[in-house]
């Protein structure tokens, strides 16, 4: 292993810094080569970041909200100006095609834009004369030091779901990005410094369980936002809560798309192609399952998907002509391939087999072609478990009620959608389905930045969803003040009954 590889360092108090003796390899998934190393923070390094965030908090909390918001407005411009460099890092470390990296960045920028409205969102509530000469108001105060732990699959967008609103609300923040693709979040944090964020307000520590556990257990950290897989989300939620923190932990998914017999099948097929295979299926809102109502619907959907898959181009994300890049790591590639083998062994019909594709010039990349299964059934592992790869399964049912029963019985409830032209069916579906984000003829119903994002069931642990209005509530504490200025000289006797307006 050459020793000249660059090391991605932490950003603490506005300075890039090493910290910890351990490092992890960062691969380019399109080539299979290690291109960088990332420092893995030890406990002491994370504690130093927490101390800096703690020290920066009083001045930042008392900075007028409008001034904090202006940093976000400037950052938005800097992100737009540096989009090419940021997306190049995302594609180099994650593998997704550049147009997809740009889409993710744009969604992140929209969260920065929403955070710039913080002065309006923090205005609070006021009531005059709640009693004789008594006024009352509620305000939303910052919590202190908050932390965010993010997944590999949206390395630039998911951090932007968290820290811009947290700091716009007056908190300071420690971000722990995924160690698999850490560079873009670090570059964005440096742009935030350039935009005027004071050192220490946003710190970035890279790392693994040791860094995360330090954040989860240190009493100075008041709130934790997590996005990642369900087993880790559950661990983060229970550990963080038992250490007295406010926690929101967004987990995994297995999103079903229902296709009704009256759906516009060619449009549904096109929508499913992007939703199933975009970003190589590595999206928590991806569609890995189609529930086709009626055999004729299933046959038509499968025929359409087969035709479209044959046109797809798989290759390095840097090539504009490619639709789908590689999976993120060799280990993940092996896992996804293992699921395809499992599906065959379980008796599902492998209609399109993407294993064994070769990308000339990138023979060592983690490329898996689109895979399509028919006759997938509940109980099969490829039905139950999150695969997080380019593997789409079709389940055949007879009625909409059957489809909804399947979705409701699944442990995850992140996203779902229905393709239909029947308004009554769509309305019944959106009203009753036990899922947090629902699309009607929209395959990826990812809420815009001024709504909030979150699943139901085992896709989210905690009460408040991510970003949007819920983020303002998550990153602030309500304080209600009741104030009276009695006229001088007026004397009142002691009152022993509970004060009321009767
Ligand atoms: P992951 O759970 O492996 O890792 C997420 C974060 O947790 C990383 O920063 C990682 O360093 C840290 N981590 C991993 N193992 C840990 C441990 N044992 N203790 C403490 N920290 C640990 O997830 P991933 O593979 O990076 O991302 C993919 C997953 O994220 C998928 O399950 C996907 O559905 C989910 N996801 C969910 C959403 C959502 O909004 N619900 C969005 C994006 C991704």
């Amino acid at each position: 292993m050459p020793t000249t590889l660059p090391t991605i360092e932490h950003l603490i108090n506005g300075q890039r810094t090493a910290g910890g003796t351990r490092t992890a390899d960062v691969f380019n998934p399109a080539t299979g080569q290690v291109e960088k190393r990332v420092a893995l923070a030890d406990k002491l390094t994370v504690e130093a970041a927490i101390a800096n965030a703690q020290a920066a908090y009083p001045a930042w909390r008392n900075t007028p909200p409008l001034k904090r918001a202006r940093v976000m407005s400037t950052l938005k411009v800097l992100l737009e100006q540096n989009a090419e460099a940021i997306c190049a890092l995302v594609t180099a470390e994650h593998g997704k095609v550049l147009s997809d990296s740009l889409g993710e960045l744009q969604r992140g920028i929209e969260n920065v834009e929403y955070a710039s409205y913080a002065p309006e969102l923090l205005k609070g509530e006021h009531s005059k004369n709640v009693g004789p000469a008594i006024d009352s108001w509620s305000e939303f105060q910052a919590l202190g030091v908050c932390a965010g732990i993010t997944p590999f699959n949206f390395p630039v967008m998911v951090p932007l779901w968290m820290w811009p609103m947290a700091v716009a609300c007056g908190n300071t923040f420690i971000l722990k990005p995924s160690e698999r693709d850490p560079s873009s979040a670090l570059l964005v944090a440096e742009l935030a410094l350039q935009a005027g964020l004071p050192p220490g307000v946003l710190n970035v520590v890279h790392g693994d369980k040791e860094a995360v556990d330090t954040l989860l257990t240190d009493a100075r950290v008041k709130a934790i936002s997590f996005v990642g897989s369900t087993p880790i989300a559950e661990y983060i939620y229970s550990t963080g809560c038992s250490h007295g923190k406010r926690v929101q932990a967004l987990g995994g998914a297995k999103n079903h798309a229902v296709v009704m017999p009256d759906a516009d099948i060619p449009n549904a097929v096109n929508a499913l192609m992007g939703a199933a295979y975009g970003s190589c299926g590595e999206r928590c809102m991806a569609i890995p399952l189609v529930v086709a109502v009626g055999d004729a619907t299933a046959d038509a959907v499968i025929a359409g998907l087969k035709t479209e898959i044959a046109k797809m181009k798989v290759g390095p994300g840097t090539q504009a002509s490619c639709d789908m890049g590689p999976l993120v790591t060799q280990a993940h590639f092996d896992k996804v391939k293992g699921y395809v083998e499992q599906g065959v062994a379980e008796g599902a019909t492998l209609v399109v087999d993407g294993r064994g594709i070769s990308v000339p010039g990138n023979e060592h990349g983690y490329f898996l072609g689109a895979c399509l299964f028919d006759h997938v059934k509940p109980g099969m592992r490829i039905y139950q478990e999150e695969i997080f790869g380019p593997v789409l399964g079709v389940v055949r049912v007879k009625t909409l009620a059957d489809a909804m029963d399947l979705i409701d019985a699944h442990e995850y409830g992140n996203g779902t959608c229905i393709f239909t032209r029947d308004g009554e069916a769509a309305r019944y579906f959106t009203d009753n389905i036990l899922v947090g984000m629902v699309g009607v003829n929209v395959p990826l119903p990812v809420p815009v930045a001024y709504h909030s994002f979150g699943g139901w069931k085992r896709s989210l642990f905690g009460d408040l969803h991510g970003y949007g209005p819920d983020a303002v509530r998550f990153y602030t504490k309500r304080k209600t003040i009741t104030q009276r200025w009695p006229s001088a000289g007026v004397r009142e006797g002691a009152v022993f009954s509970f004060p009321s307006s009767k």
Side-chain angles (χ1 to χ4, degrees):
M1 180 73 59
T3 52
T4 49
L5 291 178
T7 299
I8 302 157
E9 295 184 316
H10 317 294
L11 185 72
I12 299 179
N13 204 24
Q15 302 291 325
R16 282 212 186 200
T17 163
T21 50
R22 296 182 302 127
T23 59
D25 294 336
V26 178
F27 289 84
N28 181 333
T31 62
Q33 298 299 307
V34 180
E35 292 193 344
K36 303 162 203 164
R37 291 206 181 88
V38 60
L40 298 178
D42 56 11
K43 192 168 192 292
L44 280 178
T45 305
V46 179
E47 285 175 347
I50 297 171
N52 275 289
Q54 179 93 329
Y57 174 59
W60 183 245
R61 173 192 191 271
N62 290 319
T63 300
L66 189 58
K67 289 196 172 168
R68 299 196 301 247
R70 283 189 189 131
V71 176
M72 296 305 134
S73 305
T74 309
L75 175 62
K76 174 181 177 285
V77 175
L78 288 177
L79 290 172
E80 286 161 352
Q81 288 170 349
N82 290 274
E84 205 177 312
I86 297 166
C87 293
L89 288 174
V90 173
T91 292
E93 295 178 0
H94 176 285
K96 63 178 76 175
V97 296
L98 273 171
S99 58
D100 196 28
S101 300
L102 259 173
E104 129 162 45
L105 176 62
Q106 178 54 31
R107 281 295 191 111
I109 289 173
E110 288 166 16
N111 282 273
V112 174
E113 192 170 19
Y114 186 64
S116 73
Y117 309 152
E120 170 71 17
L121 300 166
L122 290 169
K123 273 198 317 205
E125 299 154 355
H126 188 272
S127 299
K128 198 173 167 70
N129 289 331
V130 296
I134 302 177
D135 303 327
S136 184
W137 69 94
S138 294
E139 56 189 43
F140 299 98
Q141 297 197 344
L143 305 175
V145 179
C146 301
I149 299 148
T150 54
F152 82 85
N153 68 317
F154 284 107
V156 71
M157 177 184 77
V158 172
L160 291 173
W161 285 2
M162 299 177 180
W163 71 258
M165 186 55 84
V167 304
C169 289
N171 302 283
T172 56
F173 204 88
I174 297 167
L175 173 69
K176 207 300 285 170
S178 170
E179 64 278 31
R180 284 182 256 178
D181 46 13
S183 296
S184 55
L186 184 64
L187 173 55
V188 170
E190 289 183 326
L191 291 174
L193 283 174
Q194 214 175 302
L197 204 65
V201 171
L202 171 66
N203 302 276
V204 181
V205 293
H206 302 291
D208 54 11
K209 186 169 168 51
E210 183 174 350
V212 173
D213 284 349
T214 308
L215 292 169
L216 286 176
T217 53
D218 192 301
R220 293 169 292 180
V221 177
K222 303 299 177 203
I224 303 262
S225 296
F226 172 87
V227 176
S229 60
T230 286
I232 309 299
E234 209 165 11
Y235 168 73
I236 300 280
Y237 188 71
S238 58
T239 313
C241 289
S242 70
H243 284 82
K245 299 180 198 316
R246 184 177 284 193
V247 186
Q248 55 177 185
L250 283 66
K254 191 81 178 180
N255 307 314
H256 300 60
V258 178
V259 183
M260 296 291 283
D262 65 356
D264 176 337
I265 299 290
N267 273 334
V269 164
N270 283 333
L272 289 169
M273 285 295 296
Y277 302 119
S279 195
C280 219
E282 293 170 319
R283 291 178 182 148
C284 69
M285 290 294 278
I287 294 290
L289 290 171
V290 173
V291 188
V293 177
D295 281 330
T297 310
D299 292 342
V301 168
I302 285 173
L305 288 169
K306 272 177 73 174
T307 307
E308 292 306 315
I309 290 171
K311 296 182 201 161
M312 257 178 83
K313 185 156 181 240
V314 181
T318 46
Q319 280 179 19
S321 58
C322 290
D323 302 303
M324 190 169 86
L327 286 159
V328 68
T329 57
Q330 180 70 51
H332 192 54
F333 174 87
D334 293 341
K335 183 175 159 192
V336 175
K337 203 158 153 256
Y339 272 113
V340 180
E341 282 147 23
Q342 178 79 23
V344 173
E346 283 174 321
T349 311
L350 186 57
V351 179
V352 179
D353 186 355
R355 293 171 296 175
I357 62 154
S358 173
V359 175
N362 287 67
E363 286 77 8
H364 299 292
Y366 315 132
F367 293 100
L368 182 66
C371 297
L372 177 64
F373 277 105
D374 192 3
H375 301 291
V376 172
K377 294 194 169 58
M380 291 179 176
R381 281 187 59 200
I382 59 163
Y383 176 83
Q384 298 299 145
E385 297 175 19
E386 182 179 44
I387 299 174
F388 226 54
V391 183
L392 177 61
V394 177
V395 185
R396 293 169 178 246
V397 297
K398 291 196 165 46
T399 64
L400 175 60
D402 294 341
M404 291 177 66
D405 286 347
L406 276 184
I407 297 169
D408 289 348
H410 203 283
E411 67 169 314
Y412 295 121
N414 213 40
T416 188
C417 65
I418 184 168
F419 292 97
T420 183
R421 287 171 169 153
D422 178 345
E424 188 184 357
R427 189 166 187 273
Y428 183 80
F429 184 80
T430 56
D431 198 24
N432 291 287
I433 202 75
L434 302 178
V435 173
M437 294 172 281
V438 185
V440 176
N441 299 318
V442 171
L444 298 177
V446 178
V448 290
Y450 42 99
H451 286 256
S452 294
F453 181 109
W456 286 12
K457 298 186 273 183
R458 286 173 59 74
S459 292
L460 185 145
F461 302 87
D463 303 312
L464 291 168
H465 288 195
Y467 68 78
D470 273 16
V472 183
R473 293 292 167 267
F474 184 77
Y475 293 121
T476 57
K477 266 190 194 163
R478 177 188 289 265
K479 182 179 279 182
T480 304
I481 296 128
T482 305
Q483 176 176 271
R484 182 183 192 194
W485 295 102
S487 300
V490 175
R491 289 288 165 265
E492 290 168 355
V495 177
F496 295 98
S497 57
F498 198 63
S500 76
S501 56
K502 188 142 196 302

